[in-house]
Amino acid sequence: MSFLDLKNVTKIYPNGTKAVHETSLSVDEGEFMVFVGPSGCGKSTLLRMVAGLEDITEGDINLDGKLINEVDPSERDVAMVFQNYALYPHMNVYNNLAYGLKNRGIDKETIEQKVNDAAKLLQISDYLQRKPSMLSGGQRQRVAMGRAIVRNPKIFLFDEPLSNLDAKLRIQMRLEIKKLQQKVGVTSIFVTHDQVEAMTLADRLAVINNGIIEQLGTPIEIYDNPKSLFVAGFIGSPQMNFLDGNIKNKTLSAEGFEIKDIDSDFEGEVKLGIRPEHLSQSENSLINLKVDLVEQLGSDNLVYGQLKNKKDFCYRCPGNLTIEKGADLSLNIENNKYYIFDKSTGKRVN
Amino acid sequence: MTRFITSSFSHLILLIGILIMVVPVWMIFASSTHTSSMINMNGLQMFLGDSFYENYLRVLLYQGGFFKEITALKMFFNSFIMATGVAILSVVTSLMAAYALVYYRIKYATLLFWIIFITILVPLELRIFPTYSVMAELNLVNSYFGLIVPISASAIATLFFRQFYKTVPDELLESAKLDGANTWRFFVDFLIPLSKTMIVAMLIFMFVFGYNQYLWPLLVTTSEQYWTVVMGLKMMSGSIVHRFAFVMMSMVPPILIIIVLQKYFIKGVFQDK
Ligand SMILES: Nc1ncnc2c1ncn2[C@@H]1O[C@H](COP(=O)(O)OP(=O)(O)OP(=O)(O)O)[C@@H](O)[C@H]1O
Ligand SMILES: [Mg+2]
């Protein structure tokens, strides 16, 4: 049994919403697990069941070898960082950090020691006497982290802790969280709907959709090898291009071109997925793209345009190529990196 | 120029309003410092006389009532006990009632709350006889307990605290829970400090409410030992200047309590900002 073990966990809210379907998941000690998925897919619900803030309708959760279904949140020894931080507004930063320790009857000197250590680690030592209302967003974020760290819990739970920060700070905090987690080595679950955040933070990633884990794996596994249409569309930025197609006798006919000898025995209606970064310009081309718009990111250019049948399409090329608006590009798929999905079930077939 | 005229006009109205409120009080105060023969001959006075100490001291220490068992000093003491008791007890009960209504998984909590709320429409006077008979059964007539407890359940204070608790974000409770706080600790460590200002406001409000009670103390006390100031106003006999002096003194405690607690009240408001 691993450190955290979810077995057939299901959540049905009192109003009948089935937020989480039979879900099983194992998280190893020290692992950084990320739940990613669109809004309303049940990420928070799953996390809150681990924390004990929501009852488990069915199934079992084991933490550190102990069944915790019925254990009160105050006894679970988990720490959670909320989206709005939920700092205690009437206590100064020191007491925010110390409160959880005080409740466990730890003596004053040890508390002071631990709070000061955590404050130093997070570089908030200068604000210990301030109330949360007198801190900036980033500082509050650090205090919220500090409150989790100082207790040295069995597991950290993060529910979209970075979504209230501006873009630059978000990237900075993302790095710091990752570093911090590696330093203290506490098992962590991080919820986000930002796929870049998910990819960069995770040891392993659970892509959730409609209360079901669609795919579980390392970020690279999931990027390279998406198992379903949903995962393929969700992971990767800009999004994967999808074209309608049809397979007959190992030949795929998509919108305006054909691919022969594909690696699949599937026959029938499919979706063909091609990542913008897996395309290159070449003579004997498959795809003809009429350019509408070029976004220059410096390192890369994102080229948006339309195929012959007016379908939107995106191509990512190195930033040193100059591409004019209105140009006609002939593109080829690099190294046969394309994905085929059964149109009716969304399952990967190649 | 027009702005000057309109603003002077509104100031004029405000000044008239203030005069209408203050002049009668001043006249009573001024008159209470004269001798009664002076008042009887010349009517109410606008200027201070020189019998202040004499009149006020006499009123404070005079053995009043039918049985001559009570002084004004004792009445002030009784009123203070009653008003403080009502203030503290009603704030404590409403804090806890609101806590239970908002945070406990009580079926029909909203319905229960509205039932409590409806009692605002039922004034004390309406239930005064059943309440009296309960007190009589319990042998609590002529006691501070009997004076205080029956009027110490405040639907209004419960309403205020309930509405406030509802604005406290759930994450605070959840966060506190994960930090190992139990139900009681959350109440003491979070809700009470967070509603500090509101508690002070309610204490003032309920103190004045308790102090102003007339009918209930009148019914539940037969012994003059338990007379309160507001009852005393009615019962007071003696010359006109002494009654004026007593009226003036009866205004002091509520004003004092507001002045004293308002300091904390305002402090609380600005600190939270
Ligand atoms: N208390 C509740 N009662 C009923 N339904 C709820 C409750 N909380 C959440 N839900 C529903 O459960 C589903 C999952 O909600 P959840 O909060 O877990 O989504 P999420 O993945 O965290 O979304 P987001 O990214 O927007 O935070 C949603 O359809 C939501 O409407
Ligand atoms: Mg959520």
Side-chain angles (χ1 to χ4, degrees):
Chain A
M1 192 183 284
S2 37
F3 191 68
L4 174 71
D5 222 36
L6 279 68
K7 214 182 291 160
N8 295 323
V9 171
T10 304
K11 175 70 189 183
I12 303 173
Y13 279 108
N15 68 358
T17 312
K18 194 164 184 183
V20 174
H21 295 255
E22 295 72 12
T23 296
S24 298
L25 175 75
S26 300
V27 183
D28 291 328
E29 188 152 14
E31 190 175 21
F32 200 118
M33 169 68 77
V34 173
F35 293 168
V36 65
S39 188
C41 69
K43 312 178 290 284
S44 298
T45 306
L46 202 54
L47 193 75
R48 292 165 57 82
M49 284 195 286
V50 175
L53 301 173
E54 297 286 352
D55 293 332
I56 301 160
T57 311
E58 256 171 64
D60 288 337
I61 299 183
N62 282 284
L63 178 63
D64 200 9
K66 199 172 135 219
L67 185 69
I68 56 168
N69 283 23
E70 301 295 330
V71 178
D72 198 72
S74 55
E75 318 263 290
R76 286 194 187 193
D77 198 10
V78 305
M80 187 153 167
V81 179
F82 293 84
Q83 180 170 357
N84 60 7
Y85 316 140
L87 299 181
Y88 309 141
H90 57 298
M91 299 184 193
N92 62 19
V93 172
Y94 181 91
N95 285 323
N96 262 279
L97 298 196
Y99 186 70
L101 299 173
K102 279 183 195 158
N103 277 336
R104 308 166 138 218
I106 295 173
D107 68 272
K108 256 201 164 125
E109 278 120 54
T110 318
I111 291 180
E112 199 171 329
Q113 179 79 45
K114 288 188 175 210
V115 170
N116 286 334
D117 288 350
K120 205 183 257 170
L121 194 62
L122 287 156
Q123 300 158 16
I124 48 174
S125 305
D126 293 345
Y127 321 120
L128 283 177
Q129 297 310 321
R130 290 206 203 163
K131 292 265 176 77
S133 57
M134 295 156 74
L135 298 176
S136 73
Q139 290 163 347
R140 285 179 206 185
Q141 167 71 49
R142 284 164 197 273
V143 176
M145 297 276 306
R147 207 168 55 181
I149 287 176
V150 77
R151 275 174 37 211
N152 197 18
K154 288 191 180 141
I155 190 163
F156 284 156
L157 306 173
F158 300 90
D159 194 353
E160 307 198 20
L162 303 180
S163 50
N164 281 351
L165 302 177
D166 66 67
K168 202 168 162 195
L169 202 53
R170 194 151 64 210
I171 294 170
Q172 187 193 337
M173 284 311 293
R174 187 170 85 200
L175 270 169
E176 285 191 25
I177 287 181
K178 182 75 180 172
K179 274 195 226 152
L180 208 65
Q181 195 266 346
Q182 283 171 349
K183 201 182 222 164
V184 290
V186 173
T187 315
S188 305
I189 303 180
F190 189 102
V191 163
T192 177
H193 56 237
D194 181 314
Q195 54 99 15
V196 179
E197 225 167 85
M199 297 282 289
T200 49
L201 281 172
D203 290 331
R204 270 195 310 154
L205 196 60
V207 185
I208 303 179
N209 187 27
N210 282 327
I212 295 170
I213 298 186
E214 291 247 348
Q215 192 170 352
L216 190 67
T218 65
I220 289 304
E221 262 167 40
I222 288 179
Y223 174 83
D224 279 344
N225 218 346
K227 291 249 164 55
S228 70
L229 198 59
F230 173 80
V231 176
F234 196 79
I235 299 295
S237 164
Q239 215 197 10
M240 190 185 274
N241 297 296
F242 289 109
L243 300 173
D244 286 319
N246 203 316
I247 303 184
K248 224 180 225 164
N249 291 332
K250 295 212 165 220
T251 302
L252 186 151
S253 12
E255 302 174 34
F257 61 92
E258 278 192 347
I259 306 175
K260 292 205 168 63
D261 273 335
I262 58 164
D263 182 20
S264 171
D265 296 326
F266 188 83
E267 302 243 314
E269 300 272 299
V270 293
K271 286 259 182 199
L272 171 66
I274 307 162
R275 291 203 187 276
E277 53 270 40
H278 291 161
L279 292 159
S280 60
Q281 283 175 269
S282 75
E283 293 298 306
N284 54 343
S285 71
L286 281 178
I287 301 161
N288 290 306
L289 182 69
K290 187 160 180 63
V291 179
D292 285 338
L293 178 79
V294 181
E295 281 181 359
Q296 294 183 307
L297 303 180
S299 58
D300 289 327
N301 288 334
L302 298 182
V303 181
Y304 296 94
Q306 291 178 336
L307 302 182
K308 279 202 190 100
N309 60 356
K310 299 287 175 215
K311 182 121 181 179
D312 289 328
F313 205 81
C314 176
Y315 159 50
R316 180 178 201 147
C317 68
N320 53 10
L321 291 183
T322 34
I323 291 171
E324 298 288 324
K325 194 183 151 193
D328 278 306
L329 302 181
S330 13
L331 302 174
N332 216 339
I333 305 170
E334 287 177 345
N335 306 327
N336 282 337
K337 276 199 182 164
Y338 54 84
Y339 307 92
I340 305 172
F341 303 94
D342 180 342
K343 193 172 179 181
S344 53
T345 63
K347 289 259 181 321
R348 177 90 176 274
V349 294
N350 73 331
Chain B
M1 196 61 207
T2 41
R3 247 191 76 196
F4 177 74
I5 292 172
T6 45
S7 91
S8 344
F9 186 67
S10 42
H11 275 91
L12 192 70
I13 291 181
L14 290 173
L15 277 173
I16 293 173
I18 290 171
L19 283 179
I20 290 176
M21 308 256 250
V22 168
V23 167
V25 177
W26 172 254
M27 281 173 78
I28 292 175
F29 178 64
S31 305
S32 72
T33 59
H34 289 271
T35 59
S36 36
S37 52
M38 166 81 175
I39 304 292
N40 286 337
M41 283 191 308
N42 303 328
L44 293 175
Q45 296 298 307
M46 281 303 281
F47 299 101
L48 294 175
D50 40 31
S51 310
F52 176 84
Y53 287 112
E54 194 189 322
N55 289 345
Y56 279 76
L57 266 182
R58 197 194 110 96
V59 169
L60 271 181
L61 302 175
Y62 178 71
Q63 301 278 324
F66 301 115
F67 302 103
K68 310 283 178 219
E69 279 176 348
I70 183 134
T71 62
L73 213 52
K74 184 78 198 292
M75 288 186 212
F76 276 107
F77 178 75
N78 289 344
S79 278
F80 183 76
I81 296 283
M82 179 174 175
T84 312
V86 169
I88 291 173
L89 198 61
S90 59
V91 166
V92 168
T93 51
S94 342
L95 271 169
M96 301 219 261
Y99 184 48
L101 283 171
V102 175
Y103 286 98
Y104 282 49
R105 281 189 205 171
I106 303 174
K107 259 193 175 177
Y108 312 117
T110 316
L111 182 73
L112 272 176
F113 168 70
W114 284 110
I115 292 174
I116 292 174
F117 190 69
I118 283 173
T119 62
I120 290 179
L121 304 178
V122 185
L124 174 69
E125 287 71 17
L126 214 65
R127 62 172 170 99
I128 208 155
F129 287 109
T131 308
Y132 179 82
S133 78
V134 169
M135 287 294 117
E137 292 275 315
L138 294 175
N139 250 333
L140 290 171
V141 175
N142 285 327
S143 69
Y144 289 122
F145 194 86
L147 274 173
I148 292 167
V149 171
I151 55 171
S152 291
S154 168
I156 292 194
T158 310
L159 166 82
F160 270 98
F161 289 128
R162 173 185 183 263
Q163 294 319 96
F164 173 70
Y165 291 167
K166 289 203 160 237
T167 65
V168 173
D170 286 343
E171 283 88 352
L172 213 57
L173 171 66
E174 293 174 344
S175 205
K177 266 191 200 165
L178 293 176
D179 258 347
N182 58 23
T183 323
W184 175 248
R185 286 250 72 91
F186 181 67
F187 184 56
V188 174
D189 292 344
F190 289 82
L191 291 180
I192 289 183
L194 285 173
S195 49
K196 200 171 53 190
T197 20
M198 193 171 271
I199 290 174
V200 174
M202 281 296 135
L203 279 175
I204 296 175
F205 184 77
M206 296 311 297
F207 182 92
V208 175
F209 172 79
Y211 186 82
N212 283 340
Q213 286 304 312
Y214 173 63
L215 194 58
W216 176 248
L218 190 68
L219 266 178
V220 84
T221 62
T222 49
S223 153
E224 289 175 2
Q225 284 298 324
Y226 289 98
W227 277 14
T228 64
V229 171
V230 178
M231 286 165 75
L233 285 177
K234 172 79 165 69
M235 305 297 185
M236 193 76 184
S237 51
S239 68
I240 185 102
V241 285
H242 296 140
R243 283 192 242 170
F244 281 167
F246 190 59
V247 167
M248 288 314 298
M249 285 192 288
S250 75
M251 300 195 318
V252 173
I255 292 176
L256 216 59
I257 208 85
I258 286 171
I259 291 173
V260 169
L261 288 184
Q262 199 178 32
K263 226 172 70 188
Y264 295 98
F265 186 67
I266 291 175
K267 209 166 95 189
V269 171
F270 284 111
Q271 255 179 4
D272 287 355
K273 283 248 164 98

